[in-house]
Amino acid sequence: MADQGLREEDTRPATGGERGAGSAAAAGAGGQRPARAGAGELVARPPLRTLVEELHERRARIKLGGGPEKIAEQHAKGKLTARERLALLFDEGTFTEIGIHGRPHFSQRAMEGKDAPADGVICGFGKIDGRLACCAAYDFTVMAGSMGMTGELKVQRLRKMALEKRIPMIWLLDSAGARIQEAAGSLFAGSGDLFREEVIMSGVVPQIAALMGPCAAGTAYIPGLADFVPMVSGRGSMALAGPHLVRAVTGEDVTQEELGGAKVHCRVSGVGDLEVASDEECIAAIKRYLSFFPQNCDEQPPRRETSDPVDRMDEELLDILPDSPRHPYDMYDVIRRIVDDGEIFDIKPRFARTIITCLARMGGRPVGIVANQPKHLGGILENDSADKAARFINLCDAFNIPLVFLQDVPGFMVGTKVEREGIIRHGAKMLYAVSRATVPKITVIIRKAYGAGYYVMCGKAYEPDLIVAWPSAEISVMGPEGAVNIIFRKQIEASDDPDATRAQLIEGIRRTIDPYIAAGNAMIDDIIDPRETRPTIIRALEMAEGKRVERPRKKHGVMPV
């Protein structure tokens, strides 16, 4: 039965124009019936041109973030704003923002009446050097870049976009962490998607978390789970709790920089990958890092034309090694003489310095180089260097980047201190990573190749596609000095001239670790002139380009941690 209260004009069919206007008015009023100026007449909406002008005014206000004063404060700290960073990162005119009209979520009563343009995080996609990428940039001028509910819904949509479309995901972090006004309380029980989704994305698309300001509390796990973490010195920081909470819980009085600055994480903890001086340098590092990587795990790394001849042979390689095998040299001198144009991109250069992990190109192909560094503790492997190498090997293997191993390794550190710190567990990570890697692997033995150090640096048993040695190579379970001291200890003690006897025995053992013995028994593929190192590696990379390795079917292995 019809409602007796309806008038005749309320029940008559609407014309096409009225239907369009009515539905638009209803949408603008939250779904309620449009107001009427008089019997049967709808209130006219503003013309589209006026609505578009209002749209642009809204966008302009939102793009000011926290306003001119907050922007000035950001600049006074030597920091760019989130939008200035995005302008540097993306090719001009390619960035498409999503969620610009975001504001504190209607369900968060604690935020009623408070303004937070874009809800403190700018999200979108665009092109970096012509290739697509997604980026979330936290805006410190808006509530200290704190992470609100709407903002994280925006970032969640962005993560989904990156995963589904298989393009890199970048975070530009400058945030006080979770927005306490919204996060406090039992509704926290529904949070945590961010980190689970980051794990799912791991190894599928490159993930970069740049520390350009603070990154406090649980959000510090964003860089903890990312592939590449550059940090701006003096400004970028990360910690599970800020100084105030640390003081309240432990009584320790510490600054943000002392707690989790670039010096801590790029030199001591190893969470950071690269220490940079400014926002501009940080953005440049992100671009350069991405230039070595494919868009996703199903693609091959991008190759570049190079004017550096493939068959170039550097005469100075003959003078790099000192006369004594006990004397150090700088492995960077070797690396720069064999890669394209001498250019490398170092990963964790100031952490675990007994090993080098860097990206470079050889014959235009991106490669990951793992090299012992005799300049620091003789290049010995310890807990941090094993972790550093294992992570780098896993990274390169995930994104189809070939690995080049340059060996000069005296083995693993020994003693009660490292045993208590778990040297076996840490060394097992490196063993696991090099064993699991299925990308092309090329090994060059430059000098020492002792013990388990020879194994983890991709010795013969670890499926190198080519393994060669310089004439200076020494392959053995240990060095001749150590072997003599163990095997002939009693004989030396009983000798009338222990030093002469030891020297004679060392020379005898040294003859047994001659690389020609390994080559003569097909344990290595060749002994090469050091000047042939570059062309030898490049030819091997060409040979292994179509490599396919089948592993036994399994859910996943149990990686040492």
Side-chain angles (χ1 to χ4, degrees):
M1 183 175 179
D3 187 338
Q4 297 298 317
L6 289 179
R7 295 174 295 176
E8 180 180 348
E9 61 269 26
D10 292 328
T11 58
R12 64 179 174 82
T15 66
E18 289 175 330
R19 279 196 295 268
S23 62
Q32 297 180 1
R33 292 179 62 83
R36 297 180 180 277
E41 294 184 11
L42 297 175
V43 174
R45 294 197 64 184
L48 182 57
R49 188 175 298 277
T50 302
L51 294 176
V52 169
E53 289 173 356
E54 181 189 341
L55 168 64
H56 287 292
E57 288 172 2
R58 284 174 178 264
R59 285 179 178 174
R61 285 197 303 272
I62 292 167
K63 288 179 179 180
L64 285 174
E69 289 185 7
K70 291 290 185 181
I71 292 172
E73 288 178 17
Q74 186 85 341
H75 289 163
K77 295 174 184 175
K79 295 160 65 176
L80 299 176
T81 66
R83 293 189 181 276
E84 288 168 342
R85 291 164 178 164
L86 288 168
L88 276 180
L89 178 62
F90 287 95
D91 299 347
E92 187 176 355
T94 67
F95 183 70
T96 299
E97 186 170 351
I98 63 171
I100 190 172
H101 301 290
R103 56 180 302 280
H105 202 272
F106 78 95
S107 66
Q108 302 301 313
R109 300 305 180 197
M111 291 296 294
E112 285 184 356
K114 295 183 180 180
D115 187 30
D119 206 38
V121 60
I122 303 160
C123 296
F125 59 91
K127 291 184 178 180
I128 300 173
D129 293 332
R131 299 194 299 164
L132 283 167
C134 290
C135 184
Y138 288 87
D139 187 351
F140 200 79
T141 71
V142 177
M143 299 191 72
S146 57
M147 297 175 167
M149 182 175 177
T150 299
E152 289 314 292
L153 288 172
K154 288 167 55 176
V155 181
Q156 185 178 49
R157 174 148 176 78
L158 198 66
R159 291 194 302 271
K160 182 179 179 182
M161 188 181 294
L163 182 61
E164 288 182 349
K165 280 66 177 181
R166 296 295 195 264
I167 54 179
M169 177 70 200
I170 303 166
W171 287 265
L172 302 183
L173 295 163
D174 191 359
S175 167
R179 190 175 294 161
I180 301 302
Q181 298 95 318
E182 299 186 28
S186 291
L187 291 179
F188 180 75
S191 64
D193 298 89
L194 162 59
F195 307 122
R196 177 184 58 81
E197 291 177 6
E198 199 174 347
V199 170
I200 291 169
M201 293 167 71
S202 178
V204 181
V205 297
Q207 298 184 83
I208 297 172
L211 276 295
M212 310 179 86
C215 183
T219 52
Y221 284 113
I222 296 176
L225 292 167
D227 302 330
F228 178 55
V229 183
M231 298 185 70
V232 179
S233 183
R235 294 188 284 280
S237 66
M238 53 181 151
L240 294 184
H244 298 300
L245 182 56
V246 168
R247 191 177 302 112
V249 173
T250 70
E252 186 180 8
D253 193 5
V254 64
T255 67
Q256 185 74 33
E257 181 67 17
E258 293 168 336
L259 185 63
K263 288 182 180 178
V264 172
H265 289 304
C266 292
R267 306 182 192 188
V268 182
S269 77
V271 181
D273 289 313
L274 189 65
E275 193 174 346
V276 296
S278 65
D279 285 8
E280 291 86 351
E281 191 176 328
C282 187
I283 295 296
I286 293 171
K287 290 183 172 186
R288 193 168 171 214
Y289 174 87
L290 284 174
S291 73
F292 291 96
F293 282 79
Q295 292 289 84
N296 55 66
C297 63
D298 294 323
E299 296 182 3
Q300 292 300 311
R303 292 174 61 174
R304 286 185 177 177
E305 292 296 325
T306 178
S307 58
D308 194 346
V310 167
D311 57 355
R312 173 175 58 80
M313 295 197 289
D314 195 311
E315 201 70 24
E316 293 185 24
L317 286 170
L318 294 179
D319 300 317
I320 279 182
L321 297 187
D323 293 337
S324 170
R326 299 177 67 88
H327 291 171
Y329 62 95
D330 193 344
M331 183 63 81
Y332 282 112
D333 290 339
V334 175
I335 296 171
R336 289 193 171 95
R337 282 175 168 79
I338 64 174
V339 301
D340 290 356
D341 304 308
E343 294 179 356
I344 65 170
F345 187 82
D346 225 341
I347 304 292
K348 300 188 192 296
R350 308 193 75 172
F351 172 71
R353 299 176 77 177
T354 65
I355 199 160
I356 296 167
T357 53
C358 64
L359 296 162
R361 290 183 179 83
M362 299 194 72
R365 289 178 174 83
V367 295
I369 297 175
V370 182
N372 308 110
Q373 174 55 300
K375 189 177 177 181
H376 294 282
L377 298 177
I380 201 163
L381 292 167
E382 35 76 48
N383 293 352
D384 285 342
S385 54
D387 285 356
K388 172 180 172 179
R391 181 168 174 80
F392 183 74
I393 292 167
N394 287 332
L395 173 67
C396 291
D397 188 51
F399 293 107
N400 308 310
I401 296 176
L403 288 160
V404 175
F405 294 85
L406 302 178
Q407 286 202 29
D408 189 348
V409 57
F412 278 89
M413 185 78 78
V414 296
T416 56
K417 183 177 184 293
V418 290
E419 292 296 350
R420 289 170 179 170
E421 292 173 347
I423 187 72
I424 296 170
R425 176 167 54 86
H426 291 277
K429 296 180 192 179
M430 193 172 174
L431 275 171
Y432 194 96
V434 74
S435 301
R436 184 173 62 177
T438 59
V439 292
K441 296 182 284 191
I442 315 299
T443 301
V444 180
I445 303 167
I446 291 174
R447 196 167 64 169
K448 299 183 184 74
Y450 294 165
Y454 167 68
Y455 296 159
V456 299
M457 289 296 293
C458 201
K460 183 66 160 54
Y462 293 82
E463 303 176 310
D465 297 284
L466 187 77
I467 180 169
V468 298
W470 286 11
S472 50
E474 297 179 348
I475 308 170
S476 177
V477 69
M478 64 178 65
E481 294 85 357
V484 164
N485 288 336
I486 293 172
I487 299 170
F488 301 108
R489 178 175 55 85
K490 291 182 179 180
Q491 185 176 335
I492 292 170
E493 289 174 353
S495 172
D496 293 335
D497 189 347
D499 290 339
T501 301
R502 181 183 290 106
Q504 183 180 3
L505 291 169
I506 286 173
E507 186 56 34
I509 291 289
R510 193 177 298 282
R511 286 194 293 269
T512 70
I513 61 176
D514 188 302
Y516 289 97
I517 296 174
N521 288 274
M523 299 296 182
I524 59 176
D525 295 313
D526 197 10
I527 297 172
I528 64 170
D529 181 333
R531 294 170 293 188
E532 298 170 346
T533 305
R534 172 177 166 82
T536 298
I537 292 173
I538 293 174
R539 291 192 201 109
L541 291 170
E542 291 173 352
M543 173 270 295
E545 189 171 18
K547 180 178 180 180
R548 295 290 182 271
V549 177
E550 297 294 330
R551 298 290 195 215
R553 191 202 65 78
K554 55 186 172 183
K555 186 175 181 181
H556 58 74
V558 183
M559 186 177 68
V561 295

